[in-house]
Amino acid sequence: MPVRTFEFKDHRLKLLDQRKLPCVETWVECGNARKVYWAIQNMVVRGAPAIGVAGGYGLYLGIAAWRGDRKCFLKELHRVAEYLKSSRPTGVNLRNVIDAIVARIEKKKETDVNSLKRFVLEEARKAHREDDQICRAIGRYGAKLFKNGEGVLTHCNAGGLATSGYGTALGVIYGCQEKGKTLDVYADETRPLLQGARLTAWELKKSGIKATVICDNMAASLMRSGKIDRIVVGADRIAANGDTANKIGTYNLAVLARVHKIPFYIAAPSTTFDFKITSGKQIPIEERHGEEITDGFGRKTVPLGVKVWNPAFDVTPHAYIAAFITEAGVLRPPFSRSFKKLKAGLEMS
Ligand code: MRU
């Protein structure tokens, strides 16, 4: 297990505080849904799959102390679900995990509220376990694509910290490590919150994988130097046509990859797909506080009163994506056809 991100014990959710990495390893304890909402919004926990898992536990914590009959319980469950889903808008895993739990509870005929509560917790634990299994499958499929000694560039953090412990894009790198393949890994620093420099470099180092961190504006020169054979990143939401929202700066890399003829992959679980939307135009893009740009390093880096724009994500058009590495295999264009396999699996579950 490359990283431990969560622990749920004695009705408390413990989250590794990702704001403090790489300097200090501390944990934040959440005993209610409000604290989970706060932890998601303030990025104590981050990364679409990890936010989904935290949301499942948050739903349980939100209804654990509820007293009343089944009808009132379901009303409260919906209220807590909507509240948690509004914490961060772009990643769809949070919605997918919470909506799936609510739908399963509604199907149950059970009238004993305590057993319904237990069921919510079981479902949250199941989402946690499944995310880990899914990431490991992504790692296995991805590892088949990469050759020993290749240069790989990644953006943001799509690793154990962003999931239940193994990662998607970094899961592919861990998958290669398990197969004895050594990659030359480069990590974009990822402004403004430095998930690449702080988190990706931290967890790769912990796993004994050497990585080189670059500033985001060095990616074009790095690609031209011939050191990068493949690019792999994670995703926050994938539309039915393959357009993909991921950390701001991903789109830049995809365009550069096309110019330099480097295959550009998205590694993502089925819980990151949103088949209800036809294209990336429908993905809501979270805008975060300007202070992340103006005061990011404990000092002012922009003159007072100057405006900044801080979208947390961008959308990469599907035409720039060579393939999606998923738990159902490597899905190549045309995506309308290859996504069918994934969709069928989701409908069956
Ligand atoms: O704002 P963040 O740090 O939550 O953004 C995270 C990303 O964009 C990740 O690449 C994405 O969630 C995939 S994580 C497996």
Side-chain angles (χ1 to χ4, degrees):
M1 185 98 162
V3 201
R4 204 159 57 94
T5 333
F6 302 93
E7 202 180 284
F8 191 86
K9 226 165 109 185
D10 304 328
H11 296 267
R12 296 189 87 73
L13 175 65
K14 275 178 76 183
L15 299 167
L16 180 61
D17 190 345
Q18 302 196 26
R19 300 168 306 168
K20 306 274 168 66
L21 293 173
C23 305
V24 225
E25 281 179 48
T26 51
W27 292 75
V28 167
E29 276 199 23
C30 305
N32 55 48
R34 194 153 5 126
K35 189 76 185 274
V36 175
Y37 178 99
W38 170 87
I40 294 173
Q41 197 164 61
N42 289 285
M43 296 173 72
V44 169
V45 59
R46 33 108 356 243
I51 293 171
V53 172
Y57 286 122
L59 187 63
Y60 170 71
L61 290 173
I63 50 86
W66 178 258
R67 286 180 202 284
D69 60 11
R70 180 192 153 92
K71 198 172 158 212
C72 296
F73 172 80
L74 289 181
K75 206 169 152 200
E76 181 63 2
L77 187 72
H78 275 278
R79 191 194 64 75
V80 178
E82 292 310 309
Y83 168 67
L84 286 168
K85 286 194 288 180
S86 68
S87 54
R88 286 192 80 189
T90 303
V92 77
N93 303 57
L94 178 63
R95 278 153 201 76
N96 284 345
V97 169
I98 288 181
D99 288 346
I101 298 179
V102 172
R104 281 179 203 137
I105 296 285
E106 276 179 335
K107 268 194 204 144
K108 280 186 95 69
K109 295 280 172 279
E110 184 69 68
T111 53
D112 175 28
V113 167
N114 284 330
S115 74
L116 288 173
K117 286 179 192 174
R118 278 195 299 276
F119 189 69
V120 174
L121 180 58
E122 276 162 32
E123 287 291 316
R125 287 194 195 281
K126 193 168 135 218
H128 188 176
R129 271 194 315 273
E130 281 177 359
D131 180 65
D132 186 54
Q133 289 156 3
I134 286 172
C135 287
R136 284 170 195 275
I138 290 173
R140 284 192 295 275
Y141 280 117
K144 290 186 187 156
L145 294 171
F146 291 65
K147 296 185 189 74
N148 190 36
E150 281 186 336
V152 179
L153 174 63
T154 189
H155 188 67
C156 193
N157 172 265
L161 290 168
T163 61
S164 52
Y166 194 78
T168 56
L170 296 194
V172 171
I173 292 166
Y174 296 134
C176 287
Q177 185 189 37
E178 284 173 26
K179 290 275 169 228
K181 295 180 190 175
T182 306
L183 302 174
D184 197 9
V185 182
Y186 286 84
D188 271 352
E189 163 185 64
T190 318
R191 280 280 282 147
L193 294 182
L194 307 184
Q195 288 94 327
R198 293 189 304 108
L199 308 178
T200 293
W202 178 83
E203 66 164 274
L204 288 177
K205 188 171 176 209
K206 254 188 173 305
S207 300
I209 295 174
K210 283 203 187 108
T212 305
V213 172
I214 61 160
C215 299
D216 301 337
N217 51 3
M218 297 168 187
S221 294
L222 181 68
M223 288 186 209
R224 197 163 62 182
S225 75
K227 290 188 176 139
I228 300 299
D229 299 290
R230 295 171 202 274
I231 297 171
V232 63
V233 298
D236 289 86
R237 192 187 293 229
I238 301 161
N241 69 345
D243 291 352
T244 296
N246 190 47
K247 179 51 57 193
I248 190 78
T250 301
Y251 176 36
N252 304 28
L253 286 191
V255 173
L256 288 171
R258 170 61 52 91
V259 171
H260 293 90
K261 300 191 171 48
I262 298 169
F264 182 86
Y265 302 103
I266 303 284
S270 51
T271 43
T272 305
F273 284 75
D274 185 353
F275 292 113
K276 290 195 205 88
I277 58 167
T278 52
S279 87
K281 287 197 186 111
Q282 291 150 274
I283 301 178
I285 299 295
E286 175 186 6
E287 282 200 28
R288 293 188 62 88
H289 206 285
E291 275 177 9
E292 289 180 354
I293 298 177
T294 59
D295 299 68
F297 301 97
R299 56 170 291 192
K300 275 240 165 301
T301 51
V302 179
L304 263 180
V306 173
K307 254 182 24 190
V308 291
W309 180 52
N310 188 19
F313 302 96
D314 59 25
V315 174
T316 298
H318 61 93
Y320 291 91
I321 298 166
F324 289 86
I325 308 169
T326 73
E327 76 268 28
V330 176
L331 312 178
R332 296 188 182 275
F335 298 125
S336 53
R337 192 177 315 149
S338 58
F339 282 1
K340 277 190 185 141
K341 194 170 160 192
L342 197 69
K343 225 171 154 181
L346 283 176
E347 278 155 12
M348 272 163 58
S349 67

